[in-house]
Amino acid sequence: MQILAFGVTADEKPLLERAFEGQHEVRCLDVFLSEDTAPIAAGYEIVSSSVNADLNGRVVRTLAAGGTRMIAQRSTGFNNIDLDVARQLGMTVSRVSYYSPYSVAEFAWTLAMAVNRRIVRASNRTRDFDFRLNGLMGRDMRGRTVGVLGTGKIGEAFTRIAHGFGMNLLGWDVAQNPACVELGMKYVDKDELFASADLLSLHVPLLESTHHIIDSAALKAMKDDALLVNSSRGGLVDTDALVTELRAGRFAGVGLDVYEAEAGLFFLDKSLEAVEDDTLARLVTFPNVVVTSHQAYYTHEAVGQIIDTTVQNVADYVAGRRSQNTLVPSPS
């Protein structure tokens, strides 16, 4: 069986091809699945998509019309897929429900320390042989308060690192994680979390209930010198409201690995094009902001687990099985 995989990076391609070797033939494309590229999938029963694919109803219908019966998403998030349309068309949809939580947690801490200790600014200076320390002063993390918004697997891993720093642990989630409680985490309501955190890190999924959970009110409730890190989903933060607060001189640092309008931008080279997104263009100009291109998950371990799970999801589809990764099962 032939599989068409969209949005495959150069690092990922040999791993994906090797994983399917001897089972199925996989064709890898670096373009993302969208309304413009969906017709390419005609004749492929199985299509694999990446996190920034646009699988709206029209795209799903185009895939189905071309003969696609399964969508294997290579990510945990699936808010980009119109599952209702897929269900109506009798398509199978799967995702990767689990991969290394340490990849994202460690990267979130990388962002936190990068903005706290002004690493990017320092690196840019030394490239010009400017070795002054002016404006590079950070803060110790020990003894400060971290707020963890979402304490699932990734939030727990992030909390363990915070515990190692010797920080006071505050958390919020719909359900408490006993492992975090054992580390000394105190669960509080969101208002207290926002007001008390010296460092706020976001680890909740993007749902209707969490869209813009960091809105203007939440940002205003935070300390003026707080650090904010988002390595989960861009839609958790109202970016326009964030820019407004940054323009007012608030926050010691902001680290963003995700952006709510990243589709069509992230994972692509736009360096020779005019930037049409005024909000993003303004955001990256702030000296206390670091923006990266949705790379928190991008480790050998995590990508390997994502690919292995995708291979298993395809095997389950072929065998008519369901698993915890099945979002829309095959019709009975």
Side-chain angles (χ1 to χ4, degrees):
M1 185 177 296
Q2 289 190 320
I3 301 168
L4 184 61
F6 285 89
V8 180
T9 68
D11 297 325
E12 184 186 10
K13 181 179 178 181
L15 301 177
L16 196 59
E17 291 175 338
R18 192 178 307 124
F20 276 109
E21 191 173 5
Q23 302 179 55
H24 306 287
E25 181 182 345
V26 59
R27 177 188 174 195
C28 296
L29 303 178
D30 59 1
V31 297
F32 296 104
L33 182 53
S34 66
E35 292 187 34
D36 292 332
T37 61
I40 301 174
Y44 288 89
E45 183 175 345
I46 299 175
V47 164
S48 181
S49 56
S50 59
V51 65
N52 268 352
D54 179 7
L55 281 139
N56 62 43
R58 290 185 296 275
V59 171
V60 174
R61 289 189 179 92
T62 299
L63 293 177
T68 298
R69 307 310 305 157
M70 183 202 187
I71 299 168
Q73 175 115 316
R74 302 187 311 281
S75 73
T76 299
F78 54 90
N79 55 287
N80 59 321
I81 307 174
D82 193 325
L83 299 180
D84 290 334
V85 171
R87 190 174 292 108
Q88 293 167 12
L89 296 172
M91 301 177 73
T92 298
V93 182
S94 68
R95 64 161 178 162
V96 177
S97 59
Y98 175 85
Y99 60 85
S100 169
Y102 309 106
S103 61
V104 179
E106 290 171 5
F107 193 85
W109 267 108
T110 301
L111 283 176
M113 297 309 296
V115 294
N116 176 41
R117 302 305 301 269
R118 314 293 192 263
I119 299 299
V120 175
R121 184 187 299 181
S123 177
N124 289 338
R125 281 187 185 180
T126 56
R127 286 178 182 274
D128 293 329
F129 294 94
D130 179 353
F131 300 102
R132 294 172 298 167
L133 298 182
N134 297 339
L136 301 182
M137 185 175 288
R139 298 179 294 178
D140 287 1
M141 288 290 101
R142 182 175 179 81
R144 295 192 180 274
T145 298
V146 63
V148 185
L149 192 74
T151 57
K153 292 182 176 68
I154 297 173
E156 178 188 331
F158 183 90
T159 300
R160 290 187 182 280
I161 299 172
H163 181 263
F165 272 107
M167 302 186 74
N168 303 314
L169 310 176
L170 294 183
W172 177 90
D173 209 325
V174 293
Q176 295 188 10
N177 184 334
C180 292
V181 174
E182 187 175 345
L183 290 170
M185 174 172 279
K186 176 184 177 184
Y187 279 84
V188 296
D189 61 34
K190 290 195 296 291
D191 291 339
E192 183 175 346
L193 191 78
F194 299 150
S196 302
D198 296 300
L199 163 61
L200 178 65
S201 190
L202 312 184
H203 301 288
V204 293
L206 181 59
L207 309 168
E208 285 188 18
S209 59
T210 60
H211 181 255
H212 283 183
I213 193 170
I214 305 299
D215 57 10
S216 179
L219 292 165
K220 290 182 183 302
M222 293 174 62
K223 296 179 179 180
D224 288 342
D225 60 351
L227 302 172
L228 172 64
V229 171
N230 185 12
S231 58
S232 183
R233 287 292 183 268
L236 300 177
V237 178
D238 183 337
T239 316
D240 289 328
L242 176 60
V243 168
T244 297
E245 297 304 312
L246 287 166
R247 291 183 63 184
R250 301 190 64 234
F251 304 128
V254 175
L256 303 174
D257 185 50
V258 287
Y259 173 59
E260 59 181 325
E262 68 183 54
L265 290 171
F266 281 21
F267 306 141
L268 301 173
D269 181 3
K270 297 289 186 177
S271 60
L272 299 180
E273 301 178 21
V275 178
E276 298 180 358
D277 189 323
D278 293 337
T279 301
L280 180 61
R282 186 72 179 91
L283 191 63
V284 299
T285 64
F286 292 104
N288 57 333
V289 174
V290 171
V291 178
T292 52
S293 187
H294 206 140
Q295 70 181 83
Y297 78 98
Y298 206 53
T299 66
H300 283 286
E301 292 77 10
V303 172
Q305 290 173 331
I306 289 169
I307 290 174
D308 288 345
T309 301
T310 300
V311 171
Q312 184 59 51
N313 288 343
V314 169
D316 288 341
Y317 162 76
V318 173
R321 295 187 298 259
R322 301 185 186 185
S323 74
Q324 63 177 352
N325 300 314
T326 305
L327 298 170
V328 180
S330 301
S332 300

